[in-house]
C-alpha cells in the first residue's frame, strides 16, 4: 500500500483546497504520470479527481483497453454524495474514442500516425464543453508483433499494479486471479496486461491468467505493507511517528527491502534521511511473518506531507528475467532490421542474468519511483543492443579496446555518421567484446541511480547520423536509437539540428531531426 498511503495524504491536502473554495478552471491542464506499468492521466475537477489508466507501452496502431477511475471529494456526506453523482458526468476523449467516466472500462484503437510522440486527451463536461486536456506519451512507431505466449511475474506488493506479458489488447476478456481471488485488470496492450494484486493475499500463492485460448499459472510471492502515522500534518518543530509493517514474510529465503522516500523534505524531516533502503534479512522476520520499523518525522514548515513506502524482494527476482530479455532482443532485432545470431542472443540473455547484482542496485532505487521493472529492463536491454550495433558500425569503437590500442582504434571511428545503407548483424564476438556488465558499469558511472530515469528515442532523416547528448561531442551514437537517461532537460544535437527535450520519470520522450 505505498500507493494508498500516498493517495490518502494527497487527498487530505486536496480536501483542504476544496474546502477553502477552489474553483473550476475553464481549461484544466491534466497531469500524466507513468507508474507501475501504466500511463495515468489525472484531472482535478471541482468534484474530485478523474484518472485515466492506459498501458505504458501503447504504440501507434495498437488496439488497447484502459480504465477510468473517479475519486469524488466532499466536506460532509451530503457534498460527497452530490459530487459522486456529478463526477460521473464527464467524458474522456481520445482521437476516435470517447469514454464516459461512469463506464470505467474502455477500448481504443490508437491512430496509426502519431506526431511528436504524444496524443491529446480531452476532458468534456456534461454540456460537451472541453474543460481539460493533457498529452499522452505514445510510441510513434507501430508496436512490435505481440508474443505468442504468456509470461508471468514472480511476485509483487499486495495492492500494487503488476504487469503480465503476453498477447492481450482488451478484446480477449482476460482474467487474473491471485491465490484464488479475482484481481482487477486495469489496462491491456497487444504485449502486456496490468492488474491490481488483491490486498488480502500475502505470502506464497498462485497466479493464474487466462486470455482467449491461452492460460498460464505459476507460484507468486506477495508482500503486504501496513502503514500508519500519528499525524498527517505537522507544524514547524512538531513531531510524529510513522510506522511500517511488512507482512507475508514467512517463507522469505533471500533478503527483501523496505524503501522509504520523503518527497517533501522541505515540509518534514524523516529520521534516517530522505531516501532509505532497509534490508530485511530472513533471520529478522518475526514468527508471524512480519517485519516492522518506526521513524520519527519532524515538521520543518507547516503543512501535509507525502512519503512513499514500498516493500519488495530483489527486482530481478520479481520478473522472468531471461524470458523478458529474450523477448526484447528479438523485438529489437526485428524492428531495427539487425540480425542477431542464436549464440549472440543466448550470450546477451546469460550476460543480463549474470549481472543481476548490479542490475538490482539500479532497479531497486527505481521501485521507489513506481517504475515498472519489466519496462525498465526493456529500456536497458534496448540501449545495450544499440551500443552493440553502433560499435559494429564504427561509433564508440575505441571504447571497447584496451587503452594502449585506442589511438589506433580511433582512426576507424566515422566522423559524419555511418553509411546509411550499410547492413549490420551481430554475432557472439560482438557480445563478448562489450558485455552487458560493461554497459551497465558505464551507465551507472554517468547516472545517479537514486534519481528517477526515463527513456529517449532519437530519429533523423537520413538515418545513421551521429548524436551528441548534453554537449558530449563525437560520433558516439548513431540514429535511430534509444537511451536510458536521468530525468530532466537534455540537449540533443544531430548534424545541424539542435533540440532541447525534457525526459520525465518512467516515460519515453522523442526527438526527431529535422523536427
Amino acid at each position: 500500500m505505498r500507493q494508498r498511503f500516498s493517495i490518502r495524504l494527497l487527498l487530505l491536502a486536496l480536501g483542504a483546497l476544496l474546502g477553502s473554495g477552489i474553483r473550476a478552471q475553464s481549461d484544466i491542464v491534466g497531469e500524466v504520470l507513468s507508474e507501475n506499468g501504466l500511463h495515468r492521466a489525472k484531472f482535478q475537477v471541482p468534484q474530485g479527481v478523474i484518472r485515466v489508466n492506459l498501458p505504458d507501452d501503447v504504440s501507434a496502431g495498437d488496439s488497447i483497453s484502459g480504465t477510468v477511475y473517479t475519486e469524488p471529494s466532499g466536506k460532509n456526506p451530503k457534498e460527497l454524495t452530490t459530487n459522486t453523482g456529478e463526477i460521473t458526468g464527464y467524458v474522456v476523449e481520445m482521437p476516435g474514442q470517447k469514454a464516459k467516466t461512469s463506464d470505467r472500462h474502455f477500448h481504443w484503437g490508437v491512430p496509426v500516425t502519431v506526431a511528436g510522440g504524444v496524443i491529446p486527451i480531452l476532458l468534456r463536461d456534461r454540456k460537451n464543453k472541453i474543460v481539460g486536456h493533457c498529452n499522452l506519451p505514445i510510441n510513434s512507431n507501430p508496436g512490435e508483433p505481440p508474443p505468442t505466449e504468456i509470461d508471468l511475474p514472480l511476485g509483487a506488493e499486495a495492492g500494487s499494479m503488476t504487469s503480465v506479458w503476453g498477447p492481450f489488447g482488451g478484446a480477449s476478456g482476460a482474467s487474473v486471479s491471485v491465490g484464488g481471488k479475482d484481481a482487477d485488470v486495469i489496462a491491456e496492450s497487444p504485449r502486456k496486461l496490468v492488474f491490481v494484486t488483491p490486498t488480502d493475499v500475502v505470502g506464497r500463492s498462485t497466479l493464474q491468467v487466462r486470455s482467449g485460448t491461452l492460460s498460464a499459472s505459476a507460484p507468486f510471492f506477495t508482500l503486504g505493507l501496513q502503514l500508519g502515522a500519528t499525524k498527517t500534518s505537522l507544524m514547524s518543530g512538531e513531531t510524529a511517528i510513522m510506522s511500517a509493517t511488512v507482512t507475508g514474510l514467512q517463507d522469505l529465503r533471500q533478503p527483501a527491502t523496505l524503501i522509504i522516500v520523503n518527497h517533501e523534505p522541505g515540509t518534514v524531516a524523516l529520521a534516517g534521511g530522505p531516501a532509505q533502503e532497509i534490508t530485511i534479512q530472513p533471520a529478522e522476520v518475526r514468527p508471524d511473518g512480519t517485519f516492522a520499523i518506526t521513524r520519527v518525522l519532524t515538521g520543518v514548515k507547516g503543512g501535509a506531507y507525502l512519503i512513499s513506502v514500498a516493500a519488495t524482494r530483489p527486482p530481478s527476482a520479481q520478473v522472468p528475467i531471461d524470458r523478458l530479455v529474450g523477448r526484447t532482443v528479438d523485438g529489437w532485432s526485428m524492428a531495427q532490421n539487425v540480425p542477431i545470431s542464436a549464440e549472440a542472443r543466448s550470450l546477451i540473455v546469460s550476460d543480463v542474468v549474470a549481472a543481476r547484482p548490479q542490475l538490482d542496485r539500479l532497479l531497486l532505487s527505481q521501485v521507489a519511483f513506481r517504475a515498472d521493472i519489466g519496462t525498465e529492463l526493456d529500456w536497458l536491454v534496448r540501449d545495450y543492443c544499440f551500443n552493440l550495433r553502433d560499435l559494429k558500425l564504427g561509433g564508440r569503437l575505441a571504447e571497447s579496446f584496451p587503452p594502449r590500442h585506442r589511438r589506433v582504434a580511433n582512426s576507424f571511428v566515422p566522423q559524419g555518421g555511418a553509411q546509411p545503407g550499410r547492413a549490420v548483424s551481430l554475432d557472439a564476438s560482438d557480445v563478448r567484446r562489450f558485455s552487458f556488465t560493461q554497459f551497465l558499469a558505464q551507465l551507472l558511472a554517468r547516472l545517479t541511480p537514486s534519481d528517477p530515469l526515463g527513456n529517449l528515442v532519437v530519429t533523423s532523416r537520413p538515418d545513421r547520423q551521429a548524436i551528441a547528448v548534453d554537449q558530449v561531442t563525437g560520433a558516439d551514437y548513431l540514429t535511430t536509437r534509444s537511451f536510458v537517461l536521468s530525468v530532466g532537460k537534455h540537449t540533443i544535437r544531430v548534424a545541424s539540428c539542435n533540440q532541447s527535450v525534457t525526459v520525465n520519470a518512467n516515460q519515453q520522450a522523442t526527438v526527431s531531426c529535422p523536427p
Side-chain angles (χ1 to χ4, degrees):
M1 299 131 284
R2 168 194 62 211
Q3 290 181 327
R4 292 194 303 164
F5 185 70
S6 302
I7 289 172
R8 180 172 66 85
L9 296 179
L10 284 173
L11 289 179
L12 286 171
L14 176 61
L17 287 172
L18 293 170
S20 64
I22 188 171
R23 297 187 179 184
Q25 304 175 38
S26 59
D27 190 8
I28 302 165
V29 179
E31 178 186 22
V32 178
L33 297 176
S34 297
E35 53 189 27
N36 305 115
L38 297 172
H39 290 320
R40 311 189 76 195
K42 171 188 172 185
F43 295 98
Q44 184 174 309
V45 297
Q47 300 85 6
V49 173
I50 297 170
R51 298 183 191 273
V52 186
N53 304 300
L54 304 101
D56 69 358
D57 68 337
V58 59
S59 302
D62 276 352
S63 293
I64 65 113
S65 73
T67 49
V68 181
Y69 283 85
T70 57
E71 299 169 8
S73 60
K75 294 178 291 184
N76 52 59
K78 181 179 179 181
E79 187 173 290
L80 180 61
T81 299
T82 299
N83 287 342
T84 299
E86 291 184 357
I87 202 170
T88 58
Y90 287 89
V91 173
V92 177
E93 182 178 345
M94 295 154 283
Q97 177 64 43
K98 292 183 179 180
K100 297 179 181 179
T101 53
S102 58
D103 290 343
R104 187 175 179 186
H105 292 274
F106 64 87
H107 298 278
W108 180 33
V110 183
V112 295
T113 301
V114 177
V118 295
I119 276 182
I121 295 181
L122 305 179
L123 183 67
R124 295 181 181 270
D125 63 12
R126 288 180 180 272
K127 299 179 180 180
N128 203 37
K129 177 185 176 182
I130 296 175
V131 295
H133 71 278
C134 66
N135 287 327
L136 178 77
I138 297 281
N139 179 9
S140 300
N141 297 317
E144 293 161 3
T148 57
E149 298 178 336
I150 296 174
D151 285 325
L152 301 177
L154 307 177
E157 183 183 310
S160 68
M161 311 285 186
T162 306
S163 295
V164 175
W165 303 271
F168 302 109
S172 61
S175 63
V176 180
S177 68
V178 179
K181 294 197 173 185
D182 290 341
D184 287 338
V185 175
I186 304 300
E188 298 179 54
S189 78
R191 296 160 297 277
K192 72 185 294 184
L193 171 153
V194 180
F195 71 96
V196 180
T197 57
T199 58
D200 55 350
V201 178
V202 298
R204 295 189 182 275
S205 63
T206 300
L207 171 65
Q208 291 185 318
V209 177
R210 302 181 189 278
S211 178
T213 60
L214 295 178
S215 65
S217 176
F220 194 66
F221 197 141
T222 311
L223 297 181
L225 184 58
Q226 300 170 356
L227 302 170
T230 55
K231 296 177 183 177
T232 57
S233 182
L234 295 175
M235 301 294 290
S236 178
E238 196 175 11
T239 61
I241 302 297
M242 185 195 80
S243 61
T245 301
V246 183
T247 63
L249 297 168
Q250 289 91 336
D251 296 322
L252 187 69
R253 296 166 189 167
Q254 59 185 140
T257 303
L258 187 63
I259 305 170
I260 307 175
V261 177
N262 180 9
H263 296 278
E264 299 179 14
T267 300
V268 297
L270 171 67
Q276 303 176 32
E277 294 180 1
I278 301 160
T279 301
I280 305 173
Q281 297 290 350
E284 297 176 306
V285 176
R286 296 170 175 173
D288 63 353
T290 65
F291 173 87
I293 65 159
T294 59
R295 287 291 184 269
V296 176
L297 305 173
T298 304
V300 177
K301 64 178 182 180
Y305 54 87
L306 174 60
I307 294 177
S308 291
V309 185
T312 180
R313 294 189 299 152
S316 65
Q318 301 277 73
V319 298
I321 187 169
D322 53 343
R323 298 275 298 178
L324 295 188
V325 172
R327 281 188 176 190
T328 295
V329 172
D330 293 341
W332 179 89
S333 173
M334 181 178 297
Q336 301 305 318
N337 194 27
V338 177
I340 298 178
S341 72
E343 187 180 3
R345 180 189 187 276
S346 179
L347 280 175
I348 293 172
V349 172
S350 61
D351 272 1
V352 177
V353 172
R356 270 180 162 169
Q358 301 94 318
L359 194 60
D360 281 334
R361 282 199 292 273
L362 175 62
L363 294 177
L364 193 60
S365 59
Q366 298 308 302
V367 170
F369 300 106
R370 303 186 178 98
D372 182 80
I373 297 171
T375 298
E376 297 270 335
L377 182 63
D378 178 76
W379 288 349
L380 289 167
V381 174
R382 289 178 188 276
D383 195 341
Y384 170 63
C385 287
F386 277 120
N387 272 263
L388 294 179
R389 182 206 66 177
D390 291 351
L391 283 167
K392 195 68 173 280
L393 286 170
R396 295 200 314 113
L397 180 63
E399 285 190 13
S400 64
F401 284 78
R404 65 183 181 277
H405 297 316
R406 286 180 184 170
R407 181 176 299 176
V408 175
N410 275 324
S411 65
F412 294 96
V413 177
Q415 298 305 306
Q419 297 176 0
R422 179 184 166 190
V424 62
S425 61
L426 300 177
D427 56 33
S429 64
D430 300 311
V431 180
R432 292 191 182 99
R433 185 175 61 181
F434 185 65
S435 69
F436 184 80
T437 302
Q438 290 174 284
F439 158 77
L440 207 54
Q442 291 183 3
L443 187 71
L444 291 171
R446 64 179 174 84
L447 296 177
T448 303
S450 59
D451 291 340
L453 301 176
N455 197 50
L456 174 66
V457 175
V458 182
T459 65
S460 71
R461 297 188 307 272
D463 203 9
R464 302 271 178 89
Q465 299 299 300
I467 308 169
V469 180
D470 295 331
Q471 320 247 332
V472 177
T473 59
D476 293 338
Y477 309 106
L478 303 171
T479 57
T480 295
R481 68 160 293 155
S482 63
F483 302 89
V484 175
L485 294 176
S486 58
V487 164
K489 187 169 287 187
H490 297 273
T491 57
I492 307 299
R493 178 165 59 83
V494 179
S496 60
C497 171
N498 290 276
Q499 292 193 50
S500 178
V501 61
T502 298
V503 175
N504 296 315
N506 309 325
Q507 289 184 11
Q508 177 176 290
T510 302
V511 166
S512 299
C513 285

